[in-house]
Every structure is written in structure tokens, then in C-alpha cells.
């Protein structure tokens, strides 16, 4: 029921391309969903894809090209003539068509537009930022005037049937195109043809402004369980519609970005990218880690005298730095997730810090005692060092908690993805902080003990 | 257009509850979406919520209770009589009703079921695991027999209109309830009443088996842009329907779990949980880090002689451990994301390892040279130590890459969430590995230099 691509099937397919076995290709692609054909094309060379796409019906070809990864699509479309691209766009939903046009080089974009059959819808969408509601919306939807009857709505649906694949609701507007409400398609089915739209429409409709951020739109649609949401301008005039499949992509992409930010991967890469792309995406964060590590080395060097006096101090360096890192990531991750959840009341900064402090107090106390016990039992003699380590751990937990709580809040204020706070940059900073605390505590306690 | 909860509004609301100002509560909840009322109730005490819910229409109350967090709901429902819970469930979709029943203590569950009006639908769902298709599906959907006409379908929709809030498609079955295809509701609107279902239905329908995993279902719905998917048993008989709002929750929850696994938070907690819950969720991983750190201390202790001979070796301990951690997380995160993307061909283990090795070779070489240069420039004299550090870094990068690639693959084989591989447990293991490499390389090179 769900197609799974196997190496065997792929080999047959490649073979058919090379022997130009059009019968094989047409008969197989005919029964496959465009998303499955995309998965096959992902594994082939550009000229092989080009050949297969040439054999497909216009609509399927347009669906596949809309599905492609942006970076692959840019290269791919350059192998087509502008008029051919325009022909593809004629079969593409306006939101995807606008995205595709925005990716093209300026000159090619103009040439393509000059060949598009109905350029107005797409041109309307071109100027919106791709990560706001305007950049996500499509022009394909069904509107009804408040003065219409059910039969007039049905006629409108018939007129639009080819353009609008999924209808969900009919949006009700007045003569100035101001959004008044919606009529569920179920209601149309169940009411008489002569019933007035004004009598059956629901005036409580949730809409978004074209300038609202895509994550805000995703939150609203998820909160209210909507499968489509109308987009309006500041005068509440209906501009377009965002459907849930686009929002699903927004949510998945955001989650991937957060995880990559935490892992210290700087570009949007995938495991099957080239070795060179993968290395480049990973190097920047590793080098930042190097700089941090070198600073750490310099810093420990300042305490060389102390290390010579108590060489066992070096043993606990990894314990201290790892604890700072772990606690910092835990704290920042909780704040990042709370920031993403816009449903409830956001806690105030002071309440957050206070709570973070209490949690750190408990955790710092428990691990301090744990390590003290373990150290005394295992090493026996070195009581002062054991106390130094445990007290330093306690301080590290508290300070890393507070840093982990504040950093994502600050990043968020400056519109940087707060998930970066759970990434290697902050972990490196926490390492240094941990070392500073450890050696300061040691200096203090050892001098007191002497 | 989108309700935002303010402290001010919340205060007015709480005031109204305490003065039993039913007019205020009813007039305000009347214009709010149930999701917004939920957000308000989240901030109130149990008895305050109980009071407000008593004033709401049955359907709204049922929606709100379906929306509640599981742990809050369990406590909350215990304040109701079984017959009252049954009354709420009569207004709840069957999938949510089954979830709620499964949360109740066994005795209360039986009592509630004995009061439910039409218990069959809900009882059918009770025995499915909550994370498979059967556990996500609802019994509310519209079916048509293949022999029906359009007007019979419309009659069926009218009969089900109250139960099935969102229809999307009518599922077409034969006399044995075997799923044959679907009719989009748009087609019903556009065809004559006497048209036969057999003439307009689409036989290509994507469905899932009741035993399929929720993540698999999410992948299929996302890949094919579906807003609903029918669920069948092994005989292809239609059992239920999963809608996209439930899948959105699955996707969001999975992303949160991955991130919490990476951050080392062991329970599903939120920032606004109590201090005690938060501490408990964070402690296990911190203690694992402690054990790792203590092992690290023991391990470095074995090389005390070497440290006394070259005290500057201690300076670079944080650099080594941090690099192992960073590289390991980068590698495992890429594998985790590739595992989640089930659309294309999965690369073979050997190809993965080879590629990971090449990337590590490049990155290890670059950071090794970088640190060597920096060390020679900054410290001047200690050439051998600088070479030891750089060569150890190079080895750490390669071994941590391979570990980071293999670990999530192994976890995945054993059905453990592979995201755990990017978490503190593996980072701790990588710390130890890094130390072992560092001191071994040092022993080797210093002995060669002497």
C-alpha cells in the first residue's frame, strides 16, 4: 500500500532509462504516486531525471519538481528553457510556483514569467518573505460572496474544480473582499440549493495576517486543529490560504534546525550530502571548540603552580567540564521548549531564574554529596581535594543552570534561534566557566587549609 | 483573531470564579475557542477548573478535557463520578475517549464504560497500543457501499453529520467492509444525485494497517500530503481513520523527545513543572556523568607519573574531551536524521562508515594542523607536547566519528530511540575514549622522543 524503494527496483529503472525502454518507464510511473517517483529520481543523475520527466504527464511532472530539494531544483531547472519552466509552472500551485521563481536567477525569472499563462496569481506572491504567512499561502481556494446561494457556491466550486485540489471550506467575503467567515463543504452538501450563504456561514473564523511569522501560523493551526487557514491583509481582505501540508513541512524543518543547532552543524545538511559539504558544515563548530580548548589550556596554565602542588587536581578536570556542559544543555533545552510553546502564559524572567536556581540547588547538592562520598571511599586520604571537587561541582551546577536559562532568552530577544544555546558554542563557554570555578575554589580552600 | 492570554485577563477570570460571577464566565467562554479556555484552565487550581467546566456546554467541556495533558487529566477525572465521566465521553471522539479510558484506574474504567451510551466504538479501540495506527484511529468517519448512488452518500453524511466533524473523503467499501477506495467530498458536490459511487470513486487509496507504528503513519501522511488516512486490518477491512491533527501531535512529540534525549532529560517534562519533577528528570543523567567523570579521574590517575613529568599535559585535557563529545554528537545527529527520513534508499553500513571516515579525515586533519600551529606559535618550546596533542586530536576525531555513526544504528536495531546516541551517556563514553587516546598517544610519542 505504501511504496518502498529497493536497490533492485532502482537498478531495473536505471536499466530502462539507459535502454530507453519507454514502455517500462511509462507503465511503472503510471501506477506510482508522484512522491514515490521523486524518491526514485533522487537517486539518479540529472540527465536521467530529465529523460524520465519528459515521459510523464504535465501534472505529475509539475508535482515532482515542486517536491525536489531547493538546491537540486535550482541546478535542475537551468537545464530547461524558460518556456519549458513556464509550462511546468502552469501546472504548479501558486505558492510553489512563487517559491520556484524566487530561486531562479533574476534574468531567467523574468523570461519564465513572460511565458506563464496566468502570471498575476504568482506575481502577487513573489514579494512575500518565504518565512511569513504571505510566503506560505497559495492563491488556490474557493470564495463565495455573502449574498450568494448554495447553488452559486457549487457553481463556483465547479469553475475552480481543476485549480483547487482540496477545498475544506469555502471562504465567505463581502463585496469588498473582506473575510466574513466560512462555510464547511459538508454544509453545502446538506443544504438546499436555494439556501442563502448568509444563513449558513460561520462567522467565527480564525485567520492570520500576511506578515505573521510561519512559526506563529504553525502554532495557531496546531492549537486550533485547522487543516487550512485564510490569510488576510491589514484591511482584513482575503489574500490566500495556507494548507496543513505546508505547515507540517515548517514544523519538521524547525525541529531539524533545532537539533542541528544543538549538535553544532552549521548548514542544513543531510547524511547523503557529499563528504566535502559535510566536512564544511561541521568544521566551524569544531574550530570554535578548538579555540575554547586552547583558551582552557592557557587558563589551566595560569594555575600550573597549584597543579604541581596537588597533581591529583588534574584528574577531576573532565568531571568539572562535563558537568557544566550537561547542566547548561538541560537548562537551555527546557527554556527553548517553553519558548516554542506559545499557548499558555510565559513565566517572567525572575520566576524562571528563581526556579532554575532551586532545581540547581537540589541537583548540585545531590551530585556534590555523591561525588564527595565516592571520592572519600575510593581515594581515602585526599579529604581537602574531595571537598574542593564537590564544592566546585555544586557551584558549577548553579552557575551553568543560570547561564543555560538566560542565554536562550537573550538569543530569543535578538531573534536568533534559541536552540543555538544548547549547542557547542555555549558548551565551550561553560567548559571555561567550570575550569574558572574549579581552580578558584581550589585556590581558596587550599589557602584556607594551609 | 488569535487569542493571547494575559495576566490581566487571567486575574479577572480568577476573580469571577471566586465571586461565582457566572455571567462573566459564561459570556467570556462563549466567544472563546475550547483551546483557549484550556489555556486559561491550565493556570488555575483543580477546584476552580471544576467549577468553570460545570458552566460550559457539554461539547466544549468534552473538547477541553480531551485537550488536557495526560498527567493533569488523570488527577482531574478522579474528582468526577463515573457516570459524569461517561457523560463527557459521550461527547468525545472515539480515539480520545479510548485514550482517556486507558488512563483511568481499572475499576473506574469499568464503571465508566457501563455508563457510556454507545460503548462499542470505544471498546473496539481500547486494546490497541497507543503508539500504533490502531491507537491513533477514530471510529468517526463516513463509509459508502460501492453499490450506492451519490444521494445515498449524502443521506449517510446527513446521518453522521453530528458525529463526524471533518469528513474529507467518503471511504468506499464492498459488502464485506473491504476498503476499495474513496470519493472526495468535492466530487459528491459536483455529481448528480443518481450517479453511482462505482463510477466516480478513486480506487488508488493509501491506507495503513492497524499494527503499523505511529511514526511510519506520520511519514506516509507527510510524504503523500494526506489530511486523513484509513486504517484497515490484515483482511483489508476498514477499521478507522487517522486525521492529520493527531499526526501533527505525533511529529511534535517525537521532535521533543529527540531533543530531550540529546539534552539528557529523562522524563517528558516542561519548564513549568514543579522544581521536584524537574530535578528528578535531570538527576539521572547528571549522575551518569558523575560516574563517567569519576572513571575519568581514576583513569588519569593511572598516568600520574606522566603528568608529573610533563605537567602541561593537563592543560589540554578539556580540549581533548570536548572534541570527542562535539564530533560524536555531530556524527550521531546526522545518522539519526537519516534514519528518520524513510523516503529514499538507506545507505549501507559500510558506505556510511567509509563516508564518516572520510569526513573525519578532513576535519581531523584541519583541526590537528590548526592546533599544532596555534600551540607552536603560542607556547614556542614544547614541540613534542604540541605534536602529541594534535595527533591525539586527529585520532579522537576519527574514532568519535565512527562511534557516533555506529551507536545510533545499533540503538535503532534494538528499537531504542537513536537520538539517545546524541545524549550525555555517549558523550561521557566519548570523554573517556578521548582521554585513553590522549594518554596512549602521549606515552607512545614521549617514549619515542626519549
Amino acid at each position: 500500500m505504501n511504496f518502498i524503494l529497493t536497490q533492485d527496483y532502482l537498478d531495473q529503472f536505471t536499466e530502462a532509462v539507459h535502454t530507453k525502454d519507454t514502455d517500462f518507464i511509462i507503465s511503472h510511473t503510471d501506477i506510482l504516486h508522484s512522491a514515490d517517483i521523486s524518491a526514485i529520481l533522487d537517486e539518479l543523475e540529472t540527465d536521467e531525471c530529465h529523460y524520465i520527466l519528459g515521459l510523464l504527464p504535465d501534472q505529475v511532472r509539475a508535482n515532482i519538481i515542486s517536491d525536489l530539494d531547493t538546491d537540486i531544483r535550482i541546478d535542475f531547472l537551468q537545464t530547461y528553457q524558460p518556456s519549458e519552466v513556464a509550462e511546468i509552472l502552469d501546472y504548479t500551485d501558486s505558492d510553489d510556483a512563487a517559491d520556484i521563481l524566487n530561486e531562479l536567477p533574476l534574468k531567467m525569472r523574468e523570461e519564465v514569467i513572460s511565458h506563464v499563462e496566468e502570471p498575476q496569481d504568482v506575481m502577487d506572491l513573489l514579494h512575500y518573505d518565504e518565512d511569513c504567512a504571505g510566503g506560505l499561502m497559495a492563491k488556490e481556494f474557493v470564495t463565495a460572496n455573502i449574498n450568494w446561494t448554495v447553488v452559486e457556491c457549487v457553481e463556483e466550486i465547479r469553475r475552480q474544480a481543476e485549480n483547487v485540489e482540496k477545498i475544506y471550506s469555502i471562504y465567505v467575503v463581502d463585496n469588498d473582499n473582506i473575510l466574513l467567515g466560512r462555510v464547511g463543504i459538508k454544509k453545502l452538501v446538506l443544504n438546499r440549493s436555494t439556501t442563502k450563504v448568509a444563513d449558513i456561514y460561520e462567522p467565527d473564523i480564525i485567520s492570520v495576517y500576511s506578515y505573521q511569522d510561519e512559526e506563529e501560523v504553525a502554532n495557531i493551526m496546531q492549537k486550533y486543529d485547522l487543516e487550512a487557514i485564510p490569510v488576510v491583509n491589514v484591511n482584513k481582505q482575503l489574500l490566500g490560504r495556507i494548507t496543513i501540508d505546508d505547515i507540517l513541512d515548517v514544523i519538521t524543518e524547525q525541529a531539524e534546525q533545532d537539533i542541528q543547532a544543538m549538535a553544532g552543524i552549521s548548514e542544513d545538511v543531510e547524511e547523503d550530502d557529499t563528504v566535502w559539504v559535510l566536512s564544511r558544515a561541521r568544521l566551524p563548530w569544531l574550530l570554535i571548540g578548538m579555540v575554547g580548548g586552547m583558551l582552557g589550556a592557557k587558563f589551566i596554565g595560569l594555575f600550573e603552580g597549584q597543579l604541581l602542588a596537588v597533581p591529583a587536581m588534574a584528574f577531576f578536570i573532565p568531571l568539572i567540564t562535563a558537568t557544566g556542559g550537561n547542566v547548561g544543555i538541560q537548562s537551555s533545552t527546557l527554556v527553548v521548549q517553553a519558548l516554542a510553546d506559545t499557548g499558555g502564559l510565559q513565566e517572567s524572567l525572575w520566576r524562571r531564574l528563581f526556579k532554575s536556581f532551586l532545581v540547581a540547588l537540589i541537583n548540585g547538592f545531590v551530585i556534590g554529596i555523591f561525588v564527595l562520598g565516592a571520592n572519600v571511599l575510593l581515594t581515602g586520604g585526599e579529604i581537602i581535594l574531595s571537598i574542593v571537587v564537590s564544592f566546585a561541582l555544586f557551584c558549577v551546577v548553579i552557575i551553568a543552570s543560570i547561564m543555560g536559562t538566560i542565554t536562550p532568552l537573550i538569543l530569543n530577544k535578538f531573534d536568533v534561534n534559541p536552540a543555538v544555546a544548547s549547542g557547542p558554542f555555549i558548551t565551550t563557554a561553560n567548559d571555561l566557566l567550570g575550569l574558572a570555578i574549579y581552580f578558584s575554589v581550589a585556590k581558596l580552600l587550599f589557602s584556607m587549609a594551609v
Side-chain angles (χ1 to χ4, degrees), chain A residues 218 245-259:
Chain A
D245 49 323
D246 293 318
I247 290 302
L248 219 69
D249 293 341
V250 168
I251 292 175
T252 316
E253 212 173 274
Q254 184 57 40
E256 275 189 18
Q257 279 175 9
D258 284 357
I259 287 174

Side-chain angles (χ1 to χ4, degrees), chain A residues 320 364-365 367-369 371-372 375 383-399 437-438 440-442 444-445 448:
Chain A
I320 297 286
F365 187 75
I367 69 175
I369 292 292
V371 169
L372 187 64
N375 261 334
I383 292 288
I384 299 181
L385 179 61
S386 301
I387 292 174
V388 166
V389 170
S390 280
F391 187 63
L393 277 175
F394 179 77
C395 298
V396 164
V397 170
I398 286 174
I399 291 179
I437 293 170
Y438 181 41
S440 310
V441 167
L444 187 75
L445 290 192
M448 279 166 59

Side-chain angles (χ1 to χ4, degrees), chain A residues 18 105 279:
Chain A
H18 291 163
S279 306

Side-chain angles (χ1 to χ4, degrees), chain A residues 34-199:
Chain A
S34 60
D36 296 321
I37 305 177
S38 286
I40 297 173
L41 297 186
D42 267 348
E43 309 291 330
L44 302 178
E45 302 297 325
T46 305
D47 54 331
E48 296 170 334
C49 294
H50 205 115
Y51 174 72
I52 295 172
L53 284 174
L55 300 172
L56 299 179
D58 293 326
Q59 185 61 60
V60 177
R61 184 170 53 197
N63 291 347
I64 290 172
I65 288 177
S66 303
D67 259 7
L68 285 177
D69 273 352
T70 306
D71 40 345
I72 299 175
R73 183 163 59 206
I74 294 173
D75 294 339
F76 191 68
L77 286 182
Q78 311 243 4
T79 66
Y80 283 93
Q81 293 297 317
S83 61
E84 291 174 306
V85 177
E87 218 175 289
I88 293 167
L89 294 189
D90 287 336
Y91 288 90
T92 309
D93 277 350
S94 54
D95 54 339
D96 294 329
D99 290 344
I100 293 172
L101 279 172
N102 272 328
E103 292 159 15
L104 294 175
L106 206 59
K107 177 155 173 284
M108 187 168 181
R109 187 191 310 169
E110 295 303 319
E111 286 171 348
V112 171
I113 291 175
S114 73
H115 288 96
V116 168
E117 258 178 38
E118 288 171 16
Q120 197 51 51
D121 275 356
V122 179
M123 302 234 318
D124 279 352
L125 296 175
L126 278 183
H127 73 280
Y128 291 104
D129 258 4
E130 61 167 345
D131 47 8
C132 70
L136 285 176
M137 73 186 180
K139 287 288 183 180
E140 288 82 8
F141 56 92
V142 180
T143 354
N145 190 289
I146 182 94
N147 302 312
W148 287 3
T149 58
V150 165
V151 72
E152 284 173 292
C153 289
V154 172
E155 270 319 301
E156 179 66 19
I157 291 176
R158 198 182 304 280
R159 240 192 323 273
Q160 300 278 346
E162 243 186 61
N163 294 330
V164 189
E165 198 197 340
K166 290 167 178 178
I167 293 181
Y168 306 118
S169 291
I170 289 94
Y171 296 127
V172 180
V173 295
D174 67 10
N175 293 330
D176 295 324
N177 196 33
I178 287 175
L179 179 67
L180 300 175
R182 60 181 276 272
V183 179
I185 191 162
K186 185 171 81 178
K187 273 219 176 132
L188 284 190
V189 173
L190 298 181
N191 276 284
R192 291 169 181 281
S193 322
T194 52
T195 308
K196 290 237 168 217
V197 167
D199 296 330

